[in-house]
Amino acid sequence: MDDHSYMKQALDLAEKGRGWTSPNPMVGALVVKDGRIVGRGYHRRAGASHAEVNAIDDAGACARGATLYVTLEPCNHVGRTPPCTRKINETGIRRVVVAMRDPNPGVQGGGNGYLRARGIEVTTGICEKRARTLNEGFITWITTGRPFVIVKCAATLDGRIATRTGDSRWVTGPAARRFVHHIRHGVDGIMVGAQTVKKDDPSLTTRLDGETGADPTRIILDTHLSVSPTARMLHQASDAPTWMVCGPDAPADRRAALENAGAQVITASLKTDRIDLPALMKLLGAMGITSLLIEGGGSVIGSAFASDIVDKVCFFYAPKILGGDDGVPICRGAGPESMQQSIPVHDLSVFRFDADVMLQGYLKPR
């Protein structure tokens, strides 16, 4: 096999860490000697040993003189674990193949430089596009300080997420809904508006068939703290916290009631009496939210697009037509006056989930 074939296997290993490694990136590694894979490893969770260390330990004595394939530039700094570059050098690895450089501006290139200075051959850029997609959330957060934002919706073919009565169960089928839970598992936070909580009383948890999933932090936009302390999301078995985001003038008694129910109340700045979303993204990034899934409702989705905070969209369409103009649209609020002012979507991909279709694309350059 060639470098690309081995790197694809390392990327498959990295994927196993999805949902568990944040705020660290997902990383996979292989040790190859004489055309044979002798060691495998991936980063399992933040604070645990890195992929390179796991792969080298798995290889044992076979690592000396071997080639290490790793999906991200090895770290050369002391964090919660020692630098991986020291382990690579001390083990006697002769060549390191890297998918992408570390995007952290403070350390970029340091690991590769350290290895080259010690006579180890370093090759970079193998399967780089896939590696960058794998860690798109980490890359955005470490370079901008804000989370990578995904907007998800489920709509009929005529663009409605609910009927005029608010009925939205279910727009899409079981397969599409299962995939949404995989998306939830992979993000740090999930955000909805207060009206969605009051109308649907959702759990906002991750439910994977036969697997353990990580619940994202539940983030509720509630300017005046109108959500009831009896909401389901505040009374369920979940390790993830619930954050209620309100304005500076939210009533103190409502704040106290929600806090007594287990919520953390976060005061955010307002813009035209609504939560200032760009400012909130900076705040969430500082609080360790590297990726955020916005699930609705229409007003929140419309505000997210208008505020230019969205990086990626996952629009699910069911083969259904409501046929009227009184259902709930995907986006609420004023739109542009001309088609030229519409938001372009790049790198569009299409996925099928039984009868449903998902359109996935990006709003910002990658």
Side-chain angles (χ1 to χ4, degrees), residues 143-155:
T143 57
T144 68
R146 64 169 183 83
F148 180 83
V149 178
I150 306 167
V151 165
K152 167 263 169 183
C153 73

Side-chain angles (χ1 to χ4, degrees), residues 1-13 30 32 37 69 97 126-127 130:
M1 291 194 291
D2 60 9
D3 286 349
H4 285 83
S5 298
Y6 287 124
M7 188 61 76
K8 288 176 182 176
Q9 292 190 53
L11 286 161
D12 290 342
L13 281 171
L30 291 179
V32 177
I37 297 173
Y69 291 85
V97 182
I126 304 299
C127 300
R130 182 180 165 190

Side-chain angles (χ1 to χ4, degrees), residues 39 123 133 141 189 226 240 330 333 336:
T123 302
T133 298
W141 178 70
S226 60
I330 294 172

